[in-house]
């Protein structure tokens, strides 16, 4: 099966006819359809599928003790692009087809992984599936997570412990680039040097609900003001420090037009080029949030929800699989970062994104570049299976 036909199979799954973006949240219908597709593709290649208690999938080719893993994730952010995640999985199946065509037979086990809830778009924790599989997040912590509708993760899946990644000796994840580094290098494919430290913090602002007309401006305790100033402060602070800070999700209670809100919850996504700089950035934003809350007569509580340290990918593995490719750092999180942090030699391949836009319906990669990615991945895997 060609890359193009595999890609065409996935194109309509979870696609909004209004925005053209994808809604592939874990354990909802589109993502379940993608899982069924994954199993069909594995069966078509006689790969044995293993699913762990968290819903992570691996399709295994060949036998042997020390395994090589490739793959990515099937879920998307809310109204996301087509490529972030699925490109790595489609390319993995297409690379296996190429290897078979070339007469390569695996001397080690090769697995195609689909990690669940990589984006954290449903339960709020980035790379939840790979963190659970590797054990850096415990099931006791994760089972109490709830989605926006109040569904508890523990009521959705069985949970427990996973041995899915036991014996994995190397991981190579192919991903669409989420910036314009490869455009600048004029190269269709590159490799990643590492991932910036990053995380998510929840800011709970509380005030006092009141009448929007009869309450004098000076008599209010309006948490929306405290939040609004914090969003501006985050942007300013990140610009000054040349780091990244984003408030992309906000919940307002009671969310009525003619009432001063009683509470605002907002999530900060912050990223920086060192762990010290990340702490400084979040501390500075939180300090300003606290000062403003005092002036507004409101209160703010800050809770870290998921924090990932700096990741440096394996230089030997990267040099072996991508000797002539540009090597770039990234500010985006990946399951590859979780596996690398757990000590599994890990590398990433990036496919050029002509606009750099990602986490958006506008995310793109050309077919020619995707095919170059499949070739690079097949070469990488062939080298590792030798
Ligand atoms: C994952 O895509 C992230 O960096 O948020
Ligand atoms: Mn993403
Ligand atoms: Mn991704």
């Amino acid at each position: 099966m060609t890359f193009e036909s595999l890609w065409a199979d996935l194109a309509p799954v979870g696609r909004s006819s209004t925005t053209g973006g994808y809604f592939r949240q874990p354990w909802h219908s589109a993502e379940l359809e993608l899982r069924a597709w994954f199993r069909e593709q594995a069966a078509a290649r006689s790969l044995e599928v293993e699913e762990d208690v968290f819903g992570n999938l691996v399709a295994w080719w060949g036998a042997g003790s020390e395994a090589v893993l490739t793959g990515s994730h099937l879920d998307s952010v809310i109204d996301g692009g087509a490529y972030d995640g699925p490109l790595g999985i489609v390319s993995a199946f297409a690379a296996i087809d190429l290897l078979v065509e070339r007469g390569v037979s695996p001397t080690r086990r090769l697995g195609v992984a689909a990690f669940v809830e990589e984006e954290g778009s449903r339960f709020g924790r980035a790379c939840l599936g790979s963190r659970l599989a590797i054990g850096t997040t415990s099931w006791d912590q994760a089972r109490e997570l709830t989605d926006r509708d109040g569904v508890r993760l523990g009521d959705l899946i069985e949970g427990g412990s996973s041995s899915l990644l036991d014996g994995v000796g190397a991981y190579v994840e192919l991903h669409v680039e989420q910036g314009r580094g490869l455009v600048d290098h004029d190269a269709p494919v590159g490799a990643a040097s590492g991932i910036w430290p990053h995380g998510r913090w929840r800011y709970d602002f509380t005030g006092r609900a009141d009448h929007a007309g009869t309450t004098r401006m000076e008599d209010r305790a309006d948490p929306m003001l405290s939040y609004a100033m914090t969003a501006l402060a985050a942007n300013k602070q990140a610009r000054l420090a040349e780091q990244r800070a984003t408030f992309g999700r906000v919940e307002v209670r009671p969310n009525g037009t003619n009432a001063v809100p009683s509470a605002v919850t907002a999530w900060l996504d912050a990223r920086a080029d060192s762990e010290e700089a990340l702490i400084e950035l979040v501390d500075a934003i939180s300090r300003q949030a606290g000062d403003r809350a005092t002036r507004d007569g409101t209160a703010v509580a800050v809770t870290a929800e998921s924090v990932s340290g700096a990741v440096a990918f394996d230089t030997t593995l990267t040099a072996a699989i991508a000797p002539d490719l540009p090597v770039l750092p990234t500010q985006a999180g990946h399951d590859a970062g979780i596996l690398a942090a757990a000590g599994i030699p890990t590398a990433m391949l990036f496919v050029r994104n002509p606009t750099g836009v990602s986490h958006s319906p506008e995310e793109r990669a050309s077919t020619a570049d995707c095919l170059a990615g499949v070739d690079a991945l097949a070469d990488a895997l062939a080298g590792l299976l030798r």
Side-chain angles (χ1 to χ4, degrees):
M1 214 175 275
T2 62
F3 171 86
E4 289 94 322
S5 66
L6 287 167
W7 194 250
D9 277 355
L10 295 193
V13 184
R15 186 164 191 267
S16 157
S17 54
T18 316
T19 66
Y22 287 87
F23 291 75
R24 293 168 167 171
Q25 276 58 68
W27 301 289
H28 283 316
S29 60
E31 201 247 8
L32 295 175
E33 202 177 317
L34 293 179
R35 291 164 166 278
W37 167 89
F38 181 95
R39 287 181 177 278
E40 279 164 26
Q41 294 307 318
R45 293 168 180 78
S46 305
L47 313 180
E48 197 178 314
V49 175
E50 195 180 346
E51 178 167 356
D52 73 5
V53 289
F54 307 117
N56 297 303
L57 295 163
V58 177
W60 293 110
W61 185 34
S65 51
E66 200 172 83
V68 174
L69 201 64
T70 184
S72 192
H73 59 97
L74 293 168
D75 62 306
S76 72
V77 293
I78 295 168
D79 208 10
Y83 296 84
D84 179 354
L87 183 64
I89 293 176
V90 169
S91 299
F93 285 127
I96 288 181
D97 293 344
L98 261 187
L99 294 178
V100 171
E101 251 175 65
R102 292 182 196 168
V104 174
S105 55
T107 49
R108 299 165 74 176
R109 256 181 339 144
L110 173 67
V112 179
F115 290 108
V116 74
E117 179 71 314
E118 190 269 355
E119 300 288 5
S121 67
R122 183 159 177 192
F123 287 96
R125 301 296 183 275
C127 298
L128 182 63
S130 55
R131 285 179 201 268
L132 285 166
I134 212 95
T136 43
T137 292
S138 76
W139 176 237
D140 276 349
Q141 295 167 315
R143 70 185 346 144
E144 300 305 332
L145 295 171
T146 53
D147 71 5
R148 294 166 203 233
D149 299 320
V151 176
R152 243 177 103 253
L153 183 60
D155 292 331
L156 202 59
I157 58 172
E158 188 191 333
S161 66
S162 172
S163 55
L164 193 64
L165 303 180
D166 287 1
V168 170
Y171 181 51
V172 180
E173 179 168 350
L174 177 145
H175 205 279
V176 67
E177 200 202 345
Q178 298 171 292
R180 290 173 41 85
L182 291 173
V183 173
D184 294 343
H185 278 90
D186 197 20
V189 182
S193 54
I195 300 179
W196 275 24
H198 60 283
R200 300 175 181 195
W201 288 263
R202 196 182 72 239
Y203 285 63
D204 289 300
F205 298 94
T206 45
R208 192 183 61 252
D210 218 331
H211 196 290
T214 58
T215 318
R216 285 196 303 231
M217 299 309 282
E218 59 273 28
D219 288 346
R220 301 175 179 208
D222 185 349
M224 184 66 92
L225 295 181
S226 316
Y227 158 66
M229 183 275 168
T230 304
L232 294 175
N235 184 276
K236 184 169 180 188
Q237 206 62 43
R239 281 169 185 268
L240 288 173
E242 295 185 33
Q243 316 293 1
R244 309 281 155 86
T246 308
F247 279 101
R249 179 181 169 198
V250 185
E251 285 175 4
V252 182
R253 284 179 298 284
N255 212 17
T257 306
N258 55 351
V260 176
S262 58
V264 173
T265 298
W267 283 262
L268 171 70
D269 178 309
R271 310 186 186 217
D273 57 8
S274 74
E275 293 177 4
E276 296 72 28
L278 182 61
I279 292 169
E280 258 175 50
L281 175 64
V282 176
D283 281 354
I285 296 167
S286 300
R287 216 171 25 249
Q288 292 179 64
D291 290 349
R292 177 69 197 209
T294 305
R295 278 191 276 144
D296 291 336
T298 61
V300 60
V302 182
T303 309
E305 289 201 334
S306 61
V307 183
S308 302
V311 168
F313 289 119
D314 191 285
T315 48
T316 312
L317 180 61
T318 303
I321 68 162
D324 305 317
L325 300 181
V327 182
L328 316 159
T330 180
Q331 294 76 30
H334 299 284
D335 297 309
I338 305 300
L339 271 63
I344 295 175
T346 297
M348 287 192 78
L349 293 172
F350 285 149
V351 170
R352 176 165 54 192
N353 176 336
T355 61
V357 173
S358 187
H359 284 186
S360 152
E362 300 302 318
E363 184 183 78
R364 296 281 181 275
S366 73
T367 302
D369 288 357
C370 291
L371 292 174
V374 172
D375 264 332
L377 181 62
D379 289 347
L381 298 175
L384 293 170
L385 293 176
R386 217 175 273 133

